């Protein structure tokens, strides 16, 4: 275990994700993938596009990208390496928010 598990957002972490990860369209969303800037292991985040009726509660654990406009999403290292994560966790614990902007958004 080279990098111990720690829930934090290191300075520049999200910026490194924006510079180095790939964004791929998948059915109903996008796949963000690359190496974690902290532990250097491969990881990915799936962000699903959703339609939500006004006033309907949204599952807080679901990452969702609206069909129109930009959305701030939390990207978390979820690599398969052993970092001492708690039983309900994965990866090295590092995370950060990214602003996803759909193609064609001014």
């Amino acid at each position: 275990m080279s990098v111990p598990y720690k829930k934090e957002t290191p300075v520049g972490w999200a910026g490194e994700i924006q510079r180095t990860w790939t964004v791929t369209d998948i059915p109903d969303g996008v796949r963000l993938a690359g190496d974690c800037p902290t532990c250097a292991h491969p990881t990915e985040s799936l962000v699903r596009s959703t339609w939500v009726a006004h006033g309907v509660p949204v599952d807080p654990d679901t990452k969702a990208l609206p069909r129109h406009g930009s959305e701030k999403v939390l990207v978390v290292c979820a690599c398969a390496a052993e970092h001492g994560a708690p039983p309900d966790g994965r990866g090295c614990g590092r995370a950060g928010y990214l602003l996803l902007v759909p193609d064609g958004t001014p």
Side-chain angles (χ1 to χ4, degrees), residues 9-58:
T9 302
V11 173
W13 197 88
E16 185 66 16
I17 296 292
Q18 285 181 294
R19 283 188 296 282
T20 62
W21 281 27
T22 60
V23 179
T24 308
D25 286 326
I26 59 172
D28 295 325
V30 295
R31 175 182 177 262
L32 304 159
D35 293 338
C36 171
T38 300
C39 71
H41 296 124
T43 186
E44 70 177 16
S45 246
L46 302 178
V47 181
R48 302 290 183 185
S49 298
T50 58
W51 292 95
V52 178
H54 182 69
V56 175
V58 178

Side-chain angles (χ1 to χ4, degrees), residues 51-105:
W51 292 95
V52 178
H54 182 69
V56 175
V58 178
D59 177 359
D61 294 328
T62 301
K63 294 178 186 161
L65 181 63
R67 299 259 181 199
H68 303 286
S70 54
E71 180 71 16
K72 196 177 198 181
V73 296
L74 179 64
V75 177
V76 180
C77 174
C79 72
E82 177 55 46
H83 292 287
D88 62 339
R90 288 188 65 184
C92 71
R94 281 33 173 224
Y97 283 95
L98 297 178
L99 184 63
L100 293 182
V101 179
D103 287 344
T105 301

